[in-house]
Structure formats: structure tokens, C-alpha cells
Amino acid sequence: MSEPKKVDRRKFIYAGLGAVALIAIGAAAYVAMNPPVVTQTTTVPTTSVATTTSVTTTTVPTTSVVTTTVPTTSVMTTTVMGPTKVNIVTYHGGFWGVYGTEEQRFDFNAILHKKYPNIDVSVLHLDTSIFTGTLNSMFASGAPPDVFMMWGGKKLQPYVEKDQCTDLTPLYERYGWLNLIPKYMVDEYRNIAGKPGIWGICEVYRWEHETYNADIFEKYNVKPPKTYKEWVDMCETLVANKVSPYVGYGSAYGQERLFSRAVEKCFNDKGETYGWDKLTATRGYKREIPFTDDAVIKALYMLKEWWDKKYIHPGFFGFGWDDEQKAMFNAEAAIIIEGIWEPGYLEVNKFPYKYGTFFFPSNDDPSRVRWETYAEGYSVVKGANLEAVGKVFDVWLSDEVQTLVAQKSKEFVLPNPKALDPNLIPKAVWDMKLVLDKGQPTRQVCHTAFTEEFTVVLRTYVAGVMQGKISPEKAAEALENEATKQMGPIK
């Protein structure tokens, strides 16, 4: 894996997502995606070039841009093959064949042209740490894409509220997607912000768990924990042997993932099964529990304890995606805080160790452990060419493309169930699929439980508590004030 340039993305995010820099990125990205002539040369802020003859690919690296100066050391050539082009902004370029290793890439436009020769797709791949800010700057500058990736739930809510999205019900009906895509995936994009309609197309359904280095566990005689006490003992054993138990990336979703685990544990301790849902007002629940609840304050103390006892990798707060993966591959940490995609990622990138998975033991009764599920997918900007977009996703949802995505990415909870091939799926992930099929109760993960604005505030205060910059009580009070401001008071 290549050595990324280290940038403190936490400062970038906490400073309001670097609005000026992001607008510069958005403008450059839009020019790259919408060239005025058939072939043009566009300067883009990236340290690498990824070009195909069919798909326009711009990779914005994990080294977030924080100045308004656009470098001129990298050049990308854009080739337009047809009169109609659909521009897509995503942080999952691999699902369109334009990101990852050479073995993982494929030419989506070549497949598209077999059925619709006059339509091209142009994909802009962004790192997750700057994705939302860059997307928002593109909307603000009046140059949004045709299609943008977005989680279901509250993450999509602001775009629907601002009337920036199109109801896709007509496409679902025309192409028969309601009979193809599983209902639970469609439901993630229904009636967003209280508005009737289907506001997105699910790309992948996911849950979160811990993926661990089985060789490290075996070396130090550690087993996947089934109770919280076993989890603490596991962490203590690893720390004693100078191995960080956990690694994650604090530049984006690390704090939310840790927070959701601790909160679920503390609500379980007080016998509140649906505390997370009532705290976050997700999936039909009303906001009934304030952030000043004793379980939330206890969870914040718990996070500080984890940090003080070195259960978390010391680079956590400055880490991005590449950094956390590197720590895992270098055996600096035994466990990575990610989701169902991680085992597939380890296999595709030839992880040199054995691995396994387990759920964080938020309840000592395994049958009562609730785990986080969420959807990621695509919404269409209001005013986009819906006819062309429909044709693009008609092909993208086809057996041919979905099977290719499964083969290349080793993802399997895809919107086309026909693409599911058990032979492609890592056993550790397949075992969890069987759990999902049994209907174990789940909860919604933090990145879709809140709006992006609230998430940034949450991330700031959780980091402050863990680093001893603010007390859990004051942080909880500040979070409740923000929740009241954004979601209204508890009635």
C-alpha cells in the first residue's frame, strides 16, 4: 500500500470542512466532469492519475486539500464518447470500476454501450473524509452532479428538504426495481424528511462489526470476546504485549463508531433496549432520551477510559482510511473498527494474516446484542436527465454488472440478489449474513443516525472528552443543546 502524505484532517473537519478549499475542489471537479469540448485537458488536485478511455475518473486522495491553490503537477485527459453524459460523484468508485487495484477495475461504459451506446458515465471518486463538504460546495456553486452518493436516513434528509433531489418512484416502476431490490433496501430511501417517494437507489447494505487479526489473537492466547469483561481482558492482554487493540480513523467516522458502541453498552446496563433509537430518533423512533442522560455520560467516561488505557491506536485522531488499513496490515493493531466490507478488502489486498470477525459485546447475552445496519446508495439531483439516469442504473443493476461488482469487491449485500455467489464471499462475512437472515434486531449506525452538521459537532465533543479537553458532563450538555437546536426539544 502506498505511503500517503500525512495531513491533520481533524483540524480540516473541525474548521467547518474547509469551505473555501472545498469550493475550489468542487469547481475543478465539475469542470473535469463537464468538459466543453470532446477532448480537453483539466488540472485536478490529485497526486495520481487514473484514466480510462470510457470512464472519466478523478481520484481526490486522502490528503485533504486545505488551500485555495490548485496544484498543476497532475493532468487528466477527458474523452467524451456520446451526446449524453451522466455525472456521478461517489466515494465508492470501485463499484463503478474506477478505483482500487488493476484487478478490481472494469470498464462500465463498455458494458453500458452494449445496450445504450449514446450514454456515457463520468465518475468523480472522492475520499470519504472530504466527500460531503465537497458535494455541498458543488451544490452551493450551482454546479452539482447528476447523481451523488449518500447514505439513507438522516444523511440524505437535508438534500430532500432543500428540494435538491428527485423522487425516483417512476424509475422503480418503469424498470421493475421494486421486484428486484430487497424491500429493506428500498425502505432506507422511502419518505425521507417526511416526503412521500423513493429518494435513492441502494448500492449496498451494510452492518458494522470488529475484524481482527487471528494470528495476533492466537499468539497471545486471546479469543473473540462474548462478554464485556472478556472484551476488557482481551484489550489488557494486547496492551501488555505492546499491541494496540483497536484502530480506526478519527478523521471521519472513528469517533461515531466508538461512541455508538459505548452508548449501546451503557443503555443495556440500565435495561434500556432501544436507548440508541430513542436518543437519535432513528427508524421511526421519537427523540425521547436527552444526551444528558446518565447512560450517555457514562458512555463518554467509558470512551475516555478506553483512550487512557491505550485500547485505541495512538494515531487514531489523525488517521484516515489509508492510515488505519496500514496499521492493520503492519500488525500495529489487532482489531479494526469497520464493517462487512473489511474482510473482502483484506482478501483483495492479500492481507498477510488470518482474520476473523465478532460483534462488540454490548450485552453479555449474545442473543441481545444489537448491531448497526445502514444503506449506502445514490440520489438524483433535481433537474438531471432522468431518462439517461434510468438507463445507467438499468445496466448497473443488471446481473452482469452486479456479479462483476461482487467478484471485484467481494461485497455481497448488493441490490441485485441474483449476483449473490457464496463462493465469492469470505466465510467470516457469510457467517454474518446467516445471522442477518435470522432477523436479529439491529440498530442504525451513527453515520446515518444524524445529519452531517450534527455529526461534526458530535465528533468534536467525543474527541474532546477522550483527550481530556472537556468533561463528559459539559460535552453531554453541549450535545443536547445542539440536538435541541437541530431536532427540536424532547416533548
Side-chain angles (χ1 to χ4, degrees):
M1 301 178 68
S2 60
E3 178 74 21
K5 181 180 178 182
K6 297 296 187 297
V7 173
D8 189 345
R9 283 193 215 93
R10 183 165 54 91
K11 293 180 180 178
F12 173 63
I13 293 173
Y14 293 169
L17 293 171
V20 174
L22 288 173
I23 289 174
I25 295 173
Y30 186 72
V31 170
M33 295 172 67
N34 295 273
V37 293
V38 172
T39 301
Q40 74 167 32
T41 298
T42 305
T43 301
V44 294
T46 176
T47 56
S48 63
V49 180
T51 306
T52 70
T53 58
S54 304
V55 181
T56 303
T57 307
T58 307
T59 300
V60 178
T62 56
T63 53
S64 307
V65 180
V66 294
T67 68
T68 55
T69 302
V70 179
T72 58
T73 57
S74 180
V75 175
M76 180 186 71
T77 300
T78 301
T79 303
V80 180
M81 299 183 65
T84 301
K85 184 166 61 170
V86 174
N87 299 314
I88 299 175
V89 174
T90 179
Y91 51 85
H92 281 174
F95 283 67
W96 296 89
V98 301
Y99 187 72
T101 64
E102 287 302 317
E103 291 78 11
Q104 289 177 282
R105 296 180 183 235
F106 60 91
D107 190 344
F108 174 76
N109 271 342
I111 301 172
L112 176 66
H113 291 159
K114 288 189 292 185
K115 189 169 185 179
Y116 303 113
N118 292 325
I119 300 176
D120 284 331
V121 167
S122 177
V123 176
L124 173 62
H125 172 90
L126 298 172
D127 182 70
T128 52
S129 62
I130 63 170
F131 175 81
T132 303
T134 305
L135 175 65
N136 290 344
S137 75
M138 296 173 78
F139 272 106
S141 66
D146 299 304
V147 178
F148 64 96
M149 189 166 192
M150 188 53 61
W151 300 269
K154 288 189 178 178
K155 289 293 189 185
L156 181 58
Q157 181 174 314
Y159 302 93
V160 178
E161 288 177 336
K162 294 176 184 176
D163 201 28
Q164 294 174 322
C165 303
T166 300
D167 176 12
L168 301 181
T169 302
L171 293 186
Y172 274 82
E173 293 174 346
R174 180 186 306 174
Y175 291 101
W177 296 339
L178 290 172
N179 296 323
L180 173 69
I181 303 174
K183 181 178 182 298
Y184 64 87
M185 293 189 183
V186 179
D187 287 347
E188 294 283 348
Y189 290 90
R190 285 187 189 273
N191 304 329
I192 302 296
K195 292 188 176 183
I198 307 175
W199 301 94
I201 301 168
C202 185
E203 178 192 66
V204 63
Y205 196 78
R206 288 176 159 173
W207 60 79
E208 299 244 331
H209 62 244
E210 335 299 73
T211 300
Y212 66 92
N213 184 321
D215 287 338
I216 291 179
F217 273 39
E218 183 178 332
K219 180 177 180 180
Y220 299 115
N221 196 29
V222 172
K223 295 182 180 180
K226 295 182 179 179
T227 68
Y228 184 70
K229 183 182 182 302
E230 290 179 0
W231 183 87
V232 171
D233 291 343
M234 171 200 74
C235 290
E236 291 289 345
T237 298
L238 293 170
V239 170
N241 287 282
K242 299 182 179 180
V243 177
S244 294
Y246 273 73
V247 69
Y249 63 113
S251 66
Y253 306 112
Q255 286 96 316
E256 297 96 296
R257 285 169 170 150
L258 290 174
F259 178 73
S260 64
R261 284 158 172 75
V263 166
E264 186 74 2
K265 164 63 179 166
C266 292
F267 274 126
N268 272 329
D269 286 349
K270 65 183 293 186
E272 178 58 79
T273 304
Y274 296 100
W276 176 260
D277 307 281
K278 294 174 183 178
L279 175 73
T280 61
T282 55
R283 294 193 171 170
Y285 282 84
K286 295 180 180 180
R287 196 169 86 86
E288 300 178 20
I289 297 177
F291 279 83
T292 50
D293 187 271
D294 59 350
V296 179
I297 293 174
K298 182 181 175 183
L300 291 169
Y301 272 106
M302 184 178 284
L303 289 177
K304 187 176 188 312
E305 181 181 26
W306 293 353
W307 179 253
D308 290 344
K309 289 187 173 182
K310 300 182 180 180
Y311 294 175
I312 316 295
H313 192 287
F316 174 76
F317 291 106
F319 270 10
W321 163 266
D322 285 348
D323 303 304
E324 66 161 4
Q325 296 296 334
K326 188 176 301 179
M328 190 70 177
F329 272 73
N330 292 340
E332 297 172 20
I335 305 160
I336 193 164
I337 316 171
E338 285 292 351
I340 64 168
W341 60 88
E342 186 63 26
Y345 180 86
L346 297 180
E347 292 207 2
V348 166
N349 289 278
K350 299 178 175 57
F351 186 59
Y353 307 99
K354 298 191 297 291
Y355 66 87
T357 61
F358 66 89
F359 288 116
F360 175 77
S362 58
N363 194 301
D364 289 351
D365 178 355
S367 68
R368 294 184 61 198
V369 172
R370 302 179 66 222
W371 37 291
E372 309 127 312
T373 62
Y374 60 101
E376 295 173 284
Y378 293 94
S379 293
V380 180
V381 173
K382 188 173 184 178
N385 186 332
L386 203 58
E387 183 75 19
V389 169
K391 292 177 179 178
V392 167
F393 280 93
D394 174 43
V395 172
W396 190 82
L397 289 165
S398 67
D399 295 356
E400 178 181 3
V401 174
Q402 290 282 290
T403 301
L404 198 56
V405 170
Q407 292 171 341
K408 299 285 187 178
S409 67
K410 294 189 181 294
E411 291 272 5
F412 71 98
V413 189
L414 298 171
N416 183 339
K418 297 177 183 177
L420 176 59
D421 181 351
N423 296 320
L424 300 174
I425 310 306
K427 183 180 184 303
V429 175
W430 183 255
D431 289 344
M432 288 193 174
K433 173 65 164 58
L434 300 180
V435 173
L436 178 68
D437 290 342
K438 291 178 181 177
Q440 181 172 344
T442 60
R443 62 188 167 90
Q444 190 158 350
V445 74
C446 211
H447 18 311
T448 55
F450 304 115
T451 63
E452 186 67 18
E453 183 181 359
F454 187 87
T455 298
V456 172
V457 175
L458 174 69
R459 193 176 296 156
T460 301
Y461 283 108
V462 169
V465 168
M466 292 175 68
Q467 295 176 308
K469 297 177 180 179
I470 186 172
S471 71
E473 290 82 3
K474 288 185 177 179
E477 183 178 352
L479 288 170
E480 178 57 24
N481 289 339
E482 187 66 25
T484 299
K485 174 184 172 183
Q486 290 198 29
M487 295 181 262
I490 293 176
K491 298 179 181 180

